[in-house]
Amino acid sequence: MSTPTLQIRSGHPDFLDLPWELPINEWANERLVTMPTGIHRHPVRFVAYEEGVYAIKELSRRTAETEYRVLRALEDRSNRTAEAAGLVERGWLDPHDEGAGVLITKYVDHAFPYRRLVSGAGFGSRRRHMSDALAGLFVELHMAGCYWGDCSLSNVLYRFDAGQIEAIMIDGETSELHDSLSEGQRAQDIEIMMENVAGEMSDVAAENGEDIDSADIGLGVDIANRYEALWAELTEELVITRNDVYRIRKRIARINELGFSVEDIDITPAGDGNHVRMITNLGGRTYNSDALRERTGIEASENQARLILSDLNYHLAKQGDITATGKAVGTFKWLSQYYEPLTARISREWGGEDPVQGYCDYLNHRVELASQRQRDVDSFEAYDDWVDSGYPGFDPEKS
């Protein structure tokens, strides 16, 4: 039996019980599972362990090594990429052969491929959310110095994020990491994305028996336009007078609202000396999810975290204690009296996959219920009404 070389990261299985001597398409292992996924140019199988589900992808050795290195490096710059769990080298094969290298990544929980959002030849009411998600991911990666090289709808998985959609890069075979990207690199990456998306939407139309003219060819252009608008807003240089420092706070608040953290600010003299130029150096798009994790230990996507933090702050405001100790005690009470009991009920009763998303659906229902009744609604009263109403989620047309 041929034995491969395995490089496995801590916290993951050792994968030694898999039949590495065989191509993965010939595996008949009991760990194999079927998962929602996009279209892959290389063989991909999924295996289940106690630690979770993992994607096994066969590549040439160099391509596998490159993608493994890129995904590991991106973990420090973004949380919207697949988590690299291991690298396998089949030393008995030619390094250029497909299968000489194997990349193991953790499957993205509660995720689905873009075709779940397709309605007919194009997208339904989630089209705008889809465009925003991919544009936001593209901006985040470019901010991190990542040239994707092959962005497409199939190279991304999606998951519901409160009333929006989150996009996660799962394929980085062609990616390159730089300190920063030039205008030319960004433009080329966007051009590749638009071509790929146009081709994918044409394929969707053809598969549905639709005329090519009905294909949503403009989706890629819409994503590019949203990308450019977000990039411009995040990279804008602000020139202000020395007396307009409130605009700095306003600028930081807006960046945080978009989900990005601010690592530091460069302020330099500008013009006649009465003005200063402000340049913000951004961190990852994890402002709210980081804040929620730090305050409560809850792991959530960015928009989920924004909504849950609002719920926490609502309960703290009702409590009225603004001291650090009061907030800490109030947070513990919120967790033990509201969040944990309700998410436990959601896990038992709801029927959805992600209880955090279910909690966000419930919070959205509570807000709408309070608006209808023109009064504050008790959390458990609102939950019971959510259940009685059939667990409604977010209306894509309103969110």
Side-chain angles (χ1 to χ4, degrees), residues 75-135:
E75 287 179 15
D76 295 329
R77 313 184 193 190
S78 170
N79 67 350
R80 288 174 181 79
T81 59
E83 178 185 354
L87 177 67
V88 181
E89 296 181 3
R90 290 172 168 142
W92 62 90
L93 296 178
D94 185 297
H96 300 94
D97 287 350
E98 184 151 273
V102 180
L103 177 70
I104 306 175
T105 56
K106 187 79 176 289
Y107 187 79
V108 180
D109 291 337
H110 317 301
F112 50 86
Y114 77 95
R115 287 172 182 258
R116 175 171 167 180
L117 300 171
V118 171
S119 174
F123 289 87
S125 55
R126 289 286 184 181
R127 186 184 188 279
R128 174 176 58 83
H129 295 161
M130 164 86 174
S131 300
D132 285 339
L134 196 51

Side-chain angles (χ1 to χ4, degrees), residues 288 292 295 302-318 334 359 363 366-367:
N288 291 289
L292 181 65
R295 294 174 64 179
E302 185 63 17
N303 288 302
Q304 290 175 342
R306 180 184 292 109
L307 191 58
I308 295 171
L309 281 171
S310 295
D311 181 49
L312 170 58
N313 292 332
Y314 158 79
H315 283 282
L316 293 178
K318 289 179 65 176
W334 171 81
Y359 190 80
L363 289 178
R366 192 183 74 191
V367 170

Side-chain angles (χ1 to χ4, degrees), residues 121-123 127 131 153 190-206 210-225:
F123 289 87
R127 186 184 188 279
S131 300
L153 302 178
I190 293 169
E191 184 67 28
I192 292 171
M193 178 275 295
M194 290 192 293
E195 292 178 2
N196 285 342
V197 170
E200 287 170 316
M201 297 314 297
S202 296
D203 290 343
V204 168
E210 303 283 345
D211 187 272
I212 191 66
D213 292 335
S214 67
D216 193 355
I217 301 297
L219 178 63
V221 176
D222 287 350
I223 294 170
N225 290 337

Side-chain angles (χ1 to χ4, degrees), residues 46-318:
F46 299 95
V47 292
Y49 287 84
E50 288 185 4
E51 293 84 350
V53 175
Y54 292 84
I56 311 290
K57 179 166 65 172
E58 288 183 332
L59 307 153
S60 70
R61 186 179 303 175
R62 174 174 290 184
T63 305
E65 290 172 347
T66 298
E67 185 168 8
Y68 180 72
R69 176 180 55 82
V70 167
L71 290 178
R72 288 202 58 175
L74 281 173
E75 287 179 15
D76 295 329
R77 313 184 193 190
S78 170
N79 67 350
R80 288 174 181 79
T81 59
E83 178 185 354
L87 177 67
V88 181
E89 296 181 3
R90 290 172 168 142
W92 62 90
L93 296 178
D94 185 297
H96 300 94
D97 287 350
E98 184 151 273
V102 180
L103 177 70
I104 306 175
T105 56
K106 187 79 176 289
Y107 187 79
V108 180
D109 291 337
H110 317 301
F112 50 86
Y114 77 95
R115 287 172 182 258
R116 175 171 167 180
L117 300 171
V118 171
S119 174
F123 289 87
S125 55
R126 289 286 184 181
R127 186 184 188 279
R128 174 176 58 83
H129 295 161
M130 164 86 174
S131 300
D132 285 339
L134 196 51
L137 173 62
F138 223 176
V139 167
E140 185 174 2
L141 293 176
H142 283 182
M143 288 280 184
C146 177
Y147 172 82
W148 198 333
D150 191 27
C151 175
S152 70
L153 302 178
S154 297
N155 288 342
V156 174
L157 284 179
Y158 308 86
R159 61 185 173 193
F160 292 115
D161 181 13
Q164 305 295 317
I165 291 175
E166 181 182 38
I168 302 100
M169 182 181 82
I170 59 169
D171 192 327
E173 299 167 19
T174 57
S175 298
E176 303 171 2
L177 288 180
H178 305 270
D179 291 335
S180 62
L181 297 185
S182 67
E183 292 295 318
Q185 287 173 314
R186 291 197 304 111
Q188 184 177 22
D189 223 5
I190 293 169
E191 184 67 28
I192 292 171
M193 178 275 295
M194 290 192 293
E195 292 178 2
N196 285 342
V197 170
E200 287 170 316
M201 297 314 297
S202 296
D203 290 343
V204 168
E207 290 170 8
N208 289 330
E210 303 283 345
D211 187 272
I212 191 66
D213 292 335
S214 67
D216 193 355
I217 301 297
L219 178 63
V221 176
D222 287 350
I223 294 170
N225 290 337
R226 293 174 188 272
Y227 166 95
E228 294 293 358
L230 180 57
W231 182 271
E233 185 165 9
L234 290 169
T235 58
E236 176 190 14
E237 291 188 9
L238 185 64
V239 178
I240 60 175
T241 67
R242 295 178 181 272
N243 296 324
D244 288 339
V245 292
Y246 74 92
R247 294 181 61 188
I248 296 178
R249 291 192 297 272
K250 186 176 179 180
R251 170 102 172 113
I252 294 173
R254 174 56 181 161
I255 290 172
N256 293 159
E257 182 183 342
L258 293 169
F260 288 83
S261 60
V262 177
E263 292 190 344
D264 55 63
I265 302 170
D266 293 335
I267 299 177
T268 57
D272 56 7
N274 293 321
H275 292 76
V276 294
R277 176 178 289 106
M278 169 189 168
I279 300 175
T280 49
N281 299 310
L282 304 184
R285 189 159 53 106
T286 58
Y287 177 77
N288 291 289
S289 54
D290 287 346
L292 181 65
R293 185 186 309 109
E294 182 178 344
R295 294 174 64 179
T296 68
I298 297 171
E299 295 285 348
S301 299
E302 185 63 17
N303 288 302
Q304 290 175 342
R306 180 184 292 109
L307 191 58
I308 295 171
L309 281 171
S310 295
D311 181 49
L312 170 58
N313 292 332
Y314 158 79
H315 283 282
L316 293 178
K318 289 179 65 176

